[in-house]
Amino acid sequence: MAEKITPRAEDFSQWYQDVVIQARLADYSPVKGCMVIRPNGYSIWEQIQKDLDQRIKKTGVRNAYFPLFIPESFLKKEAEHVEGFAPQCAVVTYAGAKELEEKLVIRPTSETIINSMFAKWIQSYRDLPMMVNQWANVVRWEMRTRLFLRTTEFLWQEGHTCHATGEEAEQRVRQMLRVYTEFAEEVLAMPVIAGQKSESEKFAGAFKTYCIEGMMQDGKALQAGTSHHLSTNFAHAFGTLFLDKDGKQKEVHQTSWGVSTRLLGGMIMTHSDDRGLVLPPRLAATHVVIVPIFPQSQGQMQARTQVIEAAQKVLGEIETASSLSNLPYSIGVELDQDETKQAGWKFHEYELIGIPLRIELGPRDLEKGQVVLTRRDLGKKEFVPMVQVGQVVVEALKAMQKDLLEKARAFRDARTFRVDSYSELQKKLDQPGGGFIEASWCQNSKCEEKVKQETKATIRCLPLTSEYEPIAESQSCVICGAKGRAVRVIFARSY
Amino acid sequence: MAEKITPRAEDFSQWYQDVVIQARLADYSPVKGCMVIRPNGYSIWEQIQKDLDQRIKKTGVRNAYFPLFIPESFLKKEAEHVEGFAPQCAVVTYAGAKELEEKLVIRPTSETIINSMFAKWIQSYRDLPMMVNQWANVVRWEMRTRLFLRTTEFLWQEGHTCHATGEEAEQRVRQMLRVYTEFAEEVLAMPVIAGQKSESEKFAGAFKTYCIEGMMQDGKALQAGTSHHLSTNFAHAFGTLFLDKDGKQKEVHQTSWGVSTRLLGGMIMTHSDDRGLVLPPRLAATHVVIVPIFPQSQGQMQARTQVIEAAQKVLGEIETASSLSNLPYSIGVELDQDETKQAGWKFHEYELIGIPLRIELGPRDLEKGQVVLTRRDLGKKEFVPMVQVGQVVVEALKAMQKDLLEKARAFRDARTFRVDSYSELQKKLDQPGGGFIEASWCQNSKCEEKVKQETKATIRCLPLTSEYEPIAESQSCVICGAKGRAVRVIFARSY
């Protein structure tokens, strides 16, 4: 239990792994590249699912479930799509003790299998928009994997919609980008930049890809969600047609959009510290743990009983305050009565697994009519009169959710730099702590590729105007110096 | 939309398929044996998950997620297990554009992969009990498939627990059997018989299997859930050991238990009728649909407005009554204002997809201060004073939930027969409408096999005493006439 977490400053990558393993969020499995999500980690995924699922449903999308298997021929119907995914596919060749006639690919994403159903279900404009989402596992064979961030199998939601026009599809793509942005900031307390991917970074088969990008504490970028405008690319390949009001058969315009268990990795790398997990209250199942401090000398049964009774009263008052509050969740409170473990051991354990608030309560606190409250992110003890504990807990949880976002935003803003030359770009990328580098780019993929080859940084996104247009730059391209088509981009090294 | 549902009396199997397809609960996919669960069906699965997940968590189990892939060598570690599952496995031989060194089986169930993790996580008696559950997809290659009832891929929950003693494991197995029984009856309104499987019918690798069995409207049995006592079989194969209080290394005693999307099939075949789906209120997302009846003649804008306003008021009153009620769910109400569709078309549609209550409301009802309420299962119109509509709806939903269970129980009891000879057993099995046949059996698998070969009926279970023991029979075995070890069993043809 008392393994040490490598400090972030010493080795960020080892720190991340230490937090994930020691807080029992996930573990390596015997299957190469696949992880096990342990109860402490899965509970966070359940909170993510619950909240995001409501946001998705509010936009009129319903959940469904499509097969894990995709016939190999389906994947090949859209040329760019198969080119992008074929190298990463896991393939079933043998089933039911027989060689299969047609190989089955484990879904790396479901545009193809879902289009085969859309083509069957959609007849007329009256069937549009058709909008479904599924929560599912997908498999992409990866060479280098990291818990949550890049695993061969991962969990995600993938939404798929069909529309009568390209304009409607574009509206939906933008709407989901907003849903993801709000969700990341309000729930994960992770500030993100919403932008557009460059041609070379967009989804295989998409017309246009939007994304949200977060900055981790090591200054690297993490793509936290994507929203794709597929245009009629898949509809054309699968014959997903509808009879329009004008009596003509037309291809539907589609979108797809998703976030995955990768969000857990992003959340951890945004907030956690050298003592372990720091969890935004909206992702916690248990928000408060009450640790009674028992009298040191034996035989003081009465004092012991008084401490337990006071702790139970505190628990009740927090639950009452929770039900009267306008918090978007019920406060989960636990009272740790285990006398076989020392209070110090418990403090360490609850810090490690990221319980947002800790309340201590001993005989001397009782005398003073107070409890000791410690916020996980601040680590500073605060004395709270027992009569105020319910209200103070509610306020502390609200403040912690807000502060985590603000702190992360301030961190990101302080590590975002504008550069006007290639040498400056290289210098900023190589300085300790990394960061996001804003620069002007001519939209030529050769310049993009040159930066990637020489610095290992990529264009994370083209930030957008309020009209969802790339931001035109009067400056010339920082790589080639060309003028005219230049737009603003963010370069960064990334996960 | 106006396709006809084959009547149950004409062809039960075709009726079932018609209901599933026409109510858009599921559809066939292009992948052999795999289905697509459509939003109307998936919404029911979501209600099942929500309710059952809470019941499972209340028993102290936490959710986790384990890999989809199982190394082939793992499956082979437990001899009976591999023998049972190998013929049904789908196998990945090729991934990331390379032949795999070790083939990966798509999980047909996860005892083996989970034991590899248990063996790592469990050290001492202090780590016990260890109890996890996962909601996941599994794959079992099937020759003959039917939507929901038997599909190559299906969704389920599988719980896995480790205990210090066999007694504790047995208690857990029985506890989960009770959870499933209560869930089936309280939520699905599906009466079940809880019993023990015979040796030949138990789970491959189990020491003992308990199950719940429901009776469908064609008199066939459906296994709706299983709870396995695995003893130390998997722990032995995987070295899942713990250091006990007495300082000795011991193998843990394990259980596993699951229910699947098959429950949807069972629920449909228990309650639905020739007009479509009949859905117990606790599984509905929308419980009430309000259909305003507009004045027939054109131009009566005022009457039209009055009907809509009254309908909105009714909707509000139902929502208020819902929040004041002790129902275990919030009543979902929809107001169908679509004027492009006839009321008759709407009635047919809402009956087909199983909305529990329909409220009609036209200008003449308005005059009389009433609405017309129709319960989906009864199909009889009832006039309800508008001032009482909230309370009447709450009561109707409660009554419907209760009545569906009672009706199904009465149906099952009426089709359960006791026989005392083999000829009587054969006769009862062959009479129209089938049913459950109670008989005395000597516990010899040869007698069991003879019945299976000659009648296609199997022993569904050994019903249990309150002590979870098979019920001893003084009658001799109906097959061979042997006396002494005879116990009561239920024979039936099954899904």
Side-chain angles (χ1 to χ4, degrees), chain A residues 27-31 34-43 46 53 57 62-71 74 86-98 100 104 106-107 113 116-117 120-121 130-132 135 137 139 141 143 152-153 155, chain B residues 27-31 34-43 46 53 57 62-71 74 86-98 100 104 106-107 113 116-117 120-121 130-132 135 137 139 141 143 152-153 155:
Chain A
D27 203 349
Y28 296 99
S29 86
V31 185
C34 289
M35 69 173 162
V36 173
I37 308 179
R38 300 186 70 174
N40 286 355
Y42 200 82
S43 156
E46 287 180 306
D53 192 64
K57 283 180 176 152
R62 296 181 74 195
N63 287 339
Y65 188 77
F66 296 85
L68 172 70
F69 298 122
I70 299 179
F74 280 32
Q88 290 194 293
C89 285
V91 186
V92 174
T93 58
Y94 192 87
K98 269 203 232 167
L100 289 177
L104 297 173
I106 312 286
R107 62 181 162 220
I113 188 84
S116 76
M117 301 310 297
K120 182 176 172 185
W121 295 336
M130 187 169 281
M131 306 195 287
V132 295
W135 293 92
N137 54 344
V139 170
W141 216 256
M143 287 301 102
T152 295
E153 181 190 13
L155 305 182
Chain B
D27 203 349
Y28 296 99
S29 86
V31 185
C34 289
M35 69 173 163
V36 173
I37 308 180
R38 300 186 70 173
N40 285 357
Y42 199 82
S43 157
E46 288 180 305
D53 192 64
K57 282 180 176 151
R62 296 181 72 195
N63 287 338
Y65 188 77
F66 296 85
L68 172 71
F69 298 122
I70 299 179
F74 281 32
Q88 289 193 295
C89 285
V91 186
V92 174
T93 58
Y94 192 88
K98 268 203 237 170
L100 290 177
L104 296 173
I106 312 285
R107 61 180 162 221
I113 188 85
S116 75
M117 301 311 296
K120 181 176 173 184
W121 295 336
M130 188 168 280
M131 307 195 288
V132 294
W135 291 92
N137 53 343
V139 171
W141 216 256
M143 287 301 101
T152 294
E153 182 191 12
L155 305 182

Side-chain angles (χ1 to χ4, degrees), chain A residues 182-460:
Chain A
E182 288 166 11
F183 172 74
E185 303 199 337
E186 291 170 13
V187 179
L188 304 177
M190 180 165 81
V192 292
I193 291 181
Q196 189 181 331
K197 285 287 181 195
S198 66
E199 277 298 302
S200 72
E201 297 281 340
K202 70 181 192 188
F203 176 75
F207 157 60
K208 199 195 255 189
T209 288
Y210 292 116
C211 64
I212 53 171
E213 298 278 330
M215 186 194 288
M216 306 296 101
Q217 287 181 70
D218 61 351
K220 283 195 192 168
L222 182 91
Q223 176 180 303
T226 47
S227 183
H228 314 296
H229 186 153
L230 305 174
S231 185
T232 57
N233 295 350
F234 288 89
H236 185 73
F238 284 84
T240 312
L241 305 173
F242 72 103
L243 189 68
D244 205 353
K245 286 178 186 166
D246 60 11
K248 289 185 186 146
Q249 288 281 348
K250 297 178 185 170
E251 289 166 354
V252 300
H253 296 257
Q254 298 183 311
T255 82
S256 67
W257 26 274
V259 301
S260 75
T261 36
R262 169 169 249 222
L263 286 179
L264 272 90
M267 182 276 293
I268 295 164
M269 289 197 296
T270 301
H271 305 300
S272 296
D273 63 22
D274 293 349
R275 287 175 294 136
L277 183 68
V278 174
L279 194 59
R282 288 185 72 164
L283 291 177
T286 301
H287 300 85
V288 188
V289 64
I290 304 173
V291 181
I293 313 292
F294 298 114
Q296 301 233 327
S297 52
Q298 292 298 317
Q300 302 199 25
M301 275 308 289
Q302 201 190 342
R304 213 168 268 257
T305 308
Q306 282 170 350
V307 170
I308 290 291
E309 280 174 3
Q312 277 161 344
K313 198 165 159 243
V314 166
L315 187 145
E317 278 179 19
I318 295 171
E319 286 182 339
T320 305
S322 170
S323 67
L324 296 173
S325 79
N326 59 356
L327 286 171
Y329 51 85
S330 294
I331 302 178
V333 201
E334 274 181 25
L335 170 54
D336 182 345
Q337 298 199 45
D338 185 348
E339 296 198 28
T340 69
K341 299 201 175 86
Q342 298 290 323
W345 185 94
K346 291 179 184 179
F347 292 179
H348 176 271
E349 167 71 8
Y350 294 125
E351 281 174 355
L352 175 62
I353 67 172
I355 306 291
L357 299 181
R358 182 182 77 220
I359 289 176
E360 303 158 47
L361 176 57
R364 293 190 51 194
D365 299 310
L366 259 187
E367 282 168 25
K368 294 183 190 167
Q370 69 182 20
V371 301
V372 185
L373 179 74
T374 309
R375 237 172 76 176
R376 172 62 185 88
D377 56 330
L378 304 178
K380 228 177 66 187
K381 293 186 179 197
E382 187 191 344
F383 298 96
V384 177
M386 222 174 283
V387 291
Q388 292 171 18
V389 69
Q391 193 49 39
V392 170
V393 161
V394 169
E395 294 307 324
L397 290 171
K398 281 187 194 170
M400 180 171 169
Q401 183 76 35
K402 185 160 159 282
D403 292 353
L404 287 178
L405 175 63
E406 281 177 11
K407 188 179 163 196
R409 185 173 277 141
F411 176 88
R412 181 194 66 189
D413 291 349
R415 299 218 61 80
T416 300
F417 309 101
R418 169 78 200 194
V419 302
D420 290 312
S421 72
Y422 189 49
S423 64
E424 216 186 335
L425 173 63
Q426 289 170 303
K427 216 174 74 186
K428 283 288 180 201
L429 282 170
D430 284 338
Q431 74 187 358
F436 286 177
I437 324 289
E438 278 185 10
S440 173
W441 170 58
C442 63
Q443 303 197 54
N444 186 327
S445 63
K446 281 185 191 160
C447 289
E448 185 183 13
E449 187 58 25
K450 176 181 158 84
V451 175
K452 194 172 173 180
Q453 291 301 328
E454 293 180 359
T455 71
K456 288 181 183 151
T458 48
I459 293 178
R460 299 316 303 159

Side-chain angles (χ1 to χ4, degrees), chain B residues 3 46 72 143 260 280 368 426 442 453:
Chain B
E3 283 175 86
E46 288 180 305
E72 205 179 32
M143 287 301 101
S260 75
K368 295 182 189 167
Q426 289 170 303
C442 62
Q453 290 302 327

Side-chain angles (χ1 to χ4, degrees), chain B residues 165-177:
Chain B
T165 66
E167 293 71 44
E168 228 186 85
E170 178 66 21
Q171 286 313 312
R172 166 59 52 174
V173 176
R174 291 174 184 181
Q175 179 179 19
M176 297 318 298
L177 188 72

Side-chain angles (χ1 to χ4, degrees), chain A residues 461-473:
Chain A
C461 68
L462 287 59
L464 301 170
T465 66
S466 58
E467 302 300 303
Y468 289 81
E469 294 293 335
I471 298 166
E473 285 275 356

Side-chain angles (χ1 to χ4, degrees), chain B residues 96 101 292:
Chain B
E101 282 177 32

